[in-house]
Amino acid sequence: MAIPTPGRPVRGSRSGAPIMALFDLLGRRWGMGILWRLSEGPCTFRELQTRCETISPTILNRRLKELREALLIERCADGYKLTDLGAELYGLLVPLGSYARTWAACLRAETDEA
Amino acid sequence: MAIPTPGRPVRGSRSGAPIMALFDLLGRRWGMGILWRLSEGPCTFRELQTRCETISPTILNRRLKELREALLIERCADGYKLTDLGAELYGLLVPLGSYARTWAACLRAETDEA
DNA sequence: CCCATTGCTACATTTAATGTAGCATAGCCG
DNA sequence: CGGCTATGCTACATTAAATGTAGCAATGGG
């Protein structure tokens, strides 16, 4: 699957709105998860596979290719790492971490009362 | 597909880390796009379908069910709208909009020079 | 009653993800 | 050198998810 290109039709925008292209890319399975795990530090393919806990090498490899093409990650001596552009994106995802805990608490509360 | 439940195994975390559960949910096709479009204001199923430009009713309906179950959106007189929890999440996605434009510019630059 | 709009569902097809096995290369150690 | 380990993958068969089109049942006018 080719990477979504801003300016060309993407899922959610026939005109290729950048945000929709980004959502299309990050919305692929494991997309954000890989960025998140890689933010813990550069690592090898196999180490990344371990960090992701349940990813298959097939899909890890495909996402890595896409994310490299999208300039978010790159190869290095230790295997793979975030580019500056990727690190910047990661920075925007960080707040989702604490939000997720709030969200989880709400879900639990809802489930309990039901 | 059941919604990923924090605390139970999800993609990326056997122990169910909230952030991975959230990534699993938002990482489903159209997940973030629907939130984004709904943030423009409450609307009907069909209007939302139009805003999304290219979504099929099948998958729109499925995502709506999931997002409702996840307490991010709810039904209202006008059709659907974000819950407070969903609006809060949307707030965290907003910065991705301007980031996406930067990212698009970098991609274009890269493509041009190659 | 007729027509338009609503929120969907059915179903057939295409595409993506999974899981397991294993190969080819590179580096060490004796 | 031979044998071991780790690396980055790829092949392939299976399952699951997304797509696209058609259309139905319900509601609310006029």
Side-chain angles (χ1 to χ4, degrees):
Chain A
M1 201 169 35
I3 77 166
T5 310
R8 294 176 173 281
V10 296
R11 217 183 313 271
S13 171
R14 284 188 240 266
S15 63
I19 186 67
M20 288 299 154
L22 186 62
F23 281 167
D24 194 346
L25 183 68
L26 297 183
R28 291 172 185 188
R29 219 150 263 171
W30 288 102
M32 291 184 285
I34 290 172
L35 289 179
W36 192 269
R37 295 305 195 175
L38 206 46
S39 75
E40 296 166 12
C43 70
T44 66
F45 184 95
R46 277 168 108 123
E47 161 64 13
L48 189 51
Q49 206 180 342
T50 302
R51 286 185 192 174
C52 288
E53 297 190 24
T54 57
I55 198 172
S56 78
T58 312
I59 204 65
L60 175 56
N61 188 241
R62 191 177 305 168
R63 284 298 98 85
L64 285 173
K65 277 181 184 158
E66 293 167 0
L67 294 172
R68 282 170 68 186
E69 200 178 337
L71 308 179
L72 299 178
I73 68 179
E74 62 192 350
R75 305 226 41 168
C76 67
D78 297 326
Y80 292 94
K81 66 170 185 151
L82 295 179
T83 60
D84 289 350
L85 201 55
E88 195 180 334
L89 175 55
Y90 169 72
L92 299 179
L93 296 182
V94 169
L96 289 176
S98 57
Y99 171 84
R101 286 191 292 279
T102 305
W103 170 68
C106 289
L107 270 185
R108 219 175 313 119
E110 180 77 3
T111 307
D112 288 351
E113 83 185 46
Chain B
M1 201 170 34
I3 78 166
T5 309
R8 295 176 171 281
V10 295
R11 217 185 313 273
S13 171
R14 283 187 240 269
S15 63
I19 186 66
M20 289 299 154
L22 186 61
F23 282 167
D24 194 345
L25 183 67
L26 297 182
R28 291 172 185 188
R29 218 148 265 172
W30 290 103
M32 290 184 286
I34 289 172
L35 290 179
W36 192 269
R37 297 303 196 175
L38 249 195
S39 75
E40 296 165 13
C43 71
T44 65
F45 184 95
R46 278 169 108 125
E47 161 64 14
L48 189 50
Q49 207 180 340
T50 302
R51 286 185 192 173
C52 287
E53 297 191 26
T54 57
I55 197 172
S56 76
T58 312
I59 204 65
L60 174 56
N61 188 242
R62 192 176 305 169
R63 284 298 98 86
L64 286 173
K65 276 181 184 159
E66 292 167 2
L67 294 172
R68 282 170 68 187
E69 200 177 338
L71 308 180
L72 300 178
I73 68 179
E74 63 192 349
R75 305 226 43 170
C76 66
D78 297 326
Y80 292 94
K81 65 169 189 154
L82 295 178
T83 60
D84 289 350
L85 200 55
E88 193 181 337
L89 175 55
Y90 169 73
L92 299 179
L93 296 182
V94 169
L96 289 177
S98 57
Y99 171 85
R101 287 191 292 278
T102 306
W103 170 68
C106 290
L107 269 185
R108 220 174 312 118
E110 180 77 3
T111 307
D112 288 351
E113 84 185 46

